[in-house]
Amino acid sequence: MKTIINTNNAPAPIGPYSQAVVANGLLFVSGQIPSNPKTGEIITTGITDEATMVMENLKAILTEAGVGFDSIIKTTIFLTDMQTFAQVNEVYGSYFTADFPARETVQVSALPKGVNVEISVIALKP
């Protein structure tokens, strides 16, 4: 059995997928991009602002699912330019306090809507 998680506090999916799905005690959150859920505007004011919007979108979905960043066990970060890694890593790290999740960061040639960063996560959902 699976449960679909949706919130108006994060961007609506731009394709045939859900914001998140709960199955067998795990929460799978779809990749989030720097889209402002209130306006639909893509944030383009710099990689730090973009990464912050992505993390806030993830936070909104986690909150809707009833968990926090401490429940995340795995993340995947997609960047269009690995030169922005340090800035994204600084923003990302500010959302965690200890027992950090497993993670990989990969550079890709392009992301949806021309954004520079996308992050997906897997979390425990008791």
Side-chain angles (χ1 to χ4, degrees):
M1 186 172 130
K2 66 181 181 180
T3 303
I4 304 300
I5 304 293
N6 280 303
T7 178
N8 291 330
N9 296 321
I14 58 175
Y17 61 89
S18 299
Q19 288 174 334
V21 176
V22 176
N24 295 325
L26 294 173
L27 172 68
F28 299 89
V29 181
S30 294
Q32 295 299 300
I33 62 174
S35 177
N36 183 318
K38 294 179 177 113
T39 65
E41 174 189 9
I42 298 295
I43 305 302
T44 59
T45 53
I47 194 66
T48 299
D49 292 341
E50 293 172 45
T52 300
M53 185 82 263
V54 168
M55 295 304 288
E56 288 298 312
N57 289 339
L58 289 168
K59 182 179 178 180
I61 295 168
L62 292 168
T63 299
E64 183 69 20
V67 299
F69 284 95
D70 60 335
S71 295
I72 296 175
I73 57 174
K74 174 79 166 54
T75 65
T76 302
I77 300 175
F78 302 95
L79 300 172
T80 58
D81 182 355
M82 198 56 81
Q83 296 299 314
T84 64
F85 175 81
Q87 295 161 290
V88 171
N89 193 52
E90 184 175 338
V91 171
Y92 169 93
S94 72
Y95 284 80
F96 297 92
T97 56
D99 298 329
F100 304 109
R103 178 182 87 183
E104 68 260 334
T105 303
V106 295
Q107 180 172 319
V108 296
S109 63
L111 288 166
K113 296 197 173 203
V115 303
N116 297 306
V117 58
E118 178 175 357
I119 302 175
S120 63
V121 305
I122 300 171
L124 294 174
K125 173 71 172 122

